[in-house]
Amino acid sequence: MSRIRDDYEKSPAGRFEAWYKGEYDPINAHLPVRPMSERELSGDDDRPHVDRLAIRDTTYNRDTNKALRVSRGAYRVLSVVLCLVLIGVLIWMVQYLPDFGDPANPVNNEVSARYIEKGVEETGAINYVSGMILDYRAFDTFGESCVLFIATVCVQILLRMTPDKTGKKPASDRLYEPKNDVIQQRVCVVLVPFLFIFGIYVILNGHLSPGGGFSGGAVLGAALILYLCSFGYDRTERFFTVKTFRVVSLAALLFYCLAKSYSFYTGANHLESHIPLGTPGHILSSGLILLLNICVGSVVTCTMYAFYTLFRKGDF
C-alpha cells in the first residue's frame, strides 16, 4: 500500500495535490514549502508546529530562505502578469463591440422577431422566455447549470472541513443542535409545505407562465434551508443527504446534456426528432422544455442548499 502511495505522490496528480496543499513548489522543487523566521533558524522557537528536523538540517540556511522568498515573489509576479493579460484581452475585445443604437445590432435583427413570431409553433411553449432559453439557446442554459455545479464543487474544496496539523477537526455546527426554537419550528411547519408546493408549481408551469427551473429551484432551496435552520441536520438528512445531492445533480445534468444533444443533432441534420410538442397551453406540452425545467430546478435547489450547509460548517 505504501508503494502505491509513493507512486501516486511522484505522479503529476500527486504533485498537483501537494502543490495545492502548499507542500510542494514546482518552480523550486528542492526548496522547503515556506521560509523560516530568524527565530526558527536559530532554534529558539518552542512552538509545537515548528519542524525541528528542518531547523537541524544544515542545507536549510539563510541562502535557502532567500531563494524561497524569491520563488514566492515569482508567483506573485506571474499572478499580476496573468491579471494584466486578461484585462488587456477584455479591453481589446471591447473595441469590436457594435455601436450603441446601431440598426445592425443583434438586438435589432431577425432573431428576436423569430422568437416572437415562431416561438410557440416551434417550441410549443406559451412562455417565450422558456422557449428561448430551453430550446433555441438550450446549450447556453446547460452551461449555466454546469457553472452552478462547478461553483458548488469549488466551494466544497475551499471550505472543506479537514483536520489541522494536530489531527483535530474543526467543530461542526452539529455541536450546537438541536436549537429547539419553538416559534421558528411552528412557523416552519406551516410555511415549508406551501413553499415546496409553490416551488414545484413554478417549475412545472415554467413553459406556460413566468417562472421555470431557476426561480422554482430558488424557492425549493429556500424551503430546504428554512427546514434545516428550524430542525437541524439530523431531521433534514432523513430525506436530503450528500448522496442525494450527488445523485440528483448528476442525473439532472446528464439528462439535460443527452436530451439536448439528441435534439440538436436531429435538428442540425434535418431529421425528425419524434419529440411531440403537444398542445400549446396544456401542462404536457412544449416537448423537452418541461423536463429541462425540472432538471434546472433540481440543480438550483441542490446548489443553494449545498452553499448554505458549507458556509454553516456542516458535514456536506
Side-chain angles (χ1 to χ4, degrees):
M1 197 68 183
S2 60
R3 181 179 179 181
I4 296 176
R5 181 63 186 175
D6 293 339
D7 293 340
Y8 172 75
E9 291 177 350
K10 295 177 182 178
S11 66
R15 289 197 294 269
F16 177 81
E17 181 181 350
W19 172 75
Y20 172 76
K21 293 180 178 179
E23 300 171 354
Y24 172 74
D25 185 357
I27 295 181
N28 291 296
H30 65 283
L31 293 177
V33 295
R34 68 178 183 86
M36 287 188 174
S37 64
E38 291 295 328
R39 185 179 179 185
E40 291 174 332
L41 283 172
S42 63
D44 296 334
D45 199 332
D46 56 355
R47 288 176 291 178
H49 69 272
V50 175
D51 190 348
R52 299 297 169 191
L53 294 177
I55 293 177
R56 291 197 299 268
D57 190 352
T58 56
T59 62
Y60 197 120
N61 49 33
R62 285 171 174 77
D63 292 336
T64 303
N65 238 16
K66 182 179 179 180
L68 184 55
R69 288 193 172 90
V70 171
S71 175
R72 290 296 179 88
Y75 277 109
R76 296 187 178 94
V77 172
L78 290 175
S79 300
V80 173
V81 171
L82 177 61
C83 291
L84 292 176
V85 169
L86 290 176
I87 293 172
V89 170
L90 293 175
I91 294 176
W92 177 57
M93 292 302 298
V94 167
Q95 63 180 327
Y96 292 97
L97 292 175
D99 295 333
F100 182 77
D102 189 342
N105 284 353
V107 72
N108 299 322
N109 62 22
E110 68 278 2
V111 175
S112 57
R114 178 64 175 262
Y115 292 159
I116 297 173
E117 296 172 1
K118 297 286 187 178
V120 177
E121 176 185 345
E122 294 178 344
T123 67
I126 300 298
N127 184 357
Y128 292 145
V129 176
S130 293
M132 179 184 65
I133 66 175
L134 292 175
D135 192 284
Y136 295 114
R137 298 177 54 192
F139 268 153
D140 179 53
T141 306
F142 176 67
E144 295 172 3
S145 300
C146 289
V147 166
L148 293 176
F149 177 75
I150 295 171
T152 306
V153 174
C154 293
V155 173
Q156 287 180 347
I157 294 174
L158 295 173
L159 299 182
R160 68 192 188 282
M161 297 179 62
T162 54
D164 56 18
K165 294 182 179 180
T166 62
K168 184 179 179 181
K169 195 173 182 180
S172 171
D173 193 62
R174 293 172 182 265
L175 297 175
Y176 308 104
E177 292 182 348
K179 299 179 176 61
N180 293 328
D181 188 327
V182 178
I183 297 177
Q184 182 176 343
Q185 290 178 351
R186 294 296 179 268
V187 173
C188 177
V189 168
V190 175
L191 286 181
V192 167
F194 288 100
L195 289 174
F196 272 106
I197 294 173
F198 180 66
I200 295 172
Y201 168 82
V202 171
I203 292 175
L204 297 182
N205 285 269
H207 59 297
L208 304 176
S209 60
F214 287 104
S215 51
V219 175
L220 292 178
L224 280 175
I225 293 173
L226 175 59
Y227 190 89
L228 175 63
C229 293
S230 303
F231 296 102
Y233 284 99
D234 291 337
R235 290 187 60 174
T236 307
E237 289 182 347
R238 293 178 183 177
F239 58 91
F240 198 100
T241 62
V242 178
K243 184 177 181 180
T244 307
F245 165 79
R246 293 172 180 169
V247 171
V248 172
S249 298
L250 176 62
L253 293 174
L254 188 60
F255 176 82
Y256 195 119
C257 180
L258 294 177
K260 289 313 298 181
S261 295
Y262 168 77
S263 177
F264 279 7
Y265 174 80
T266 56
N269 292 277
H270 305 287
L271 301 175
E272 179 61 37
S273 66
H274 302 288
I275 300 174
L277 297 180
T279 304
H282 290 189
I283 185 68
L284 296 178
S285 63
S286 72
L288 292 173
I289 292 180
L290 173 60
L291 299 176
L292 297 183
N293 261 327
I294 296 175
C295 293
V296 173
S298 300
V299 173
V300 173
T301 301
C302 292
T303 302
M304 286 188 60
Y305 180 78
F307 276 180
Y308 180 78
T309 54
L310 289 168
F311 281 102
R312 188 179 164 178
K313 297 184 179 179
D315 296 336
F316 198 86

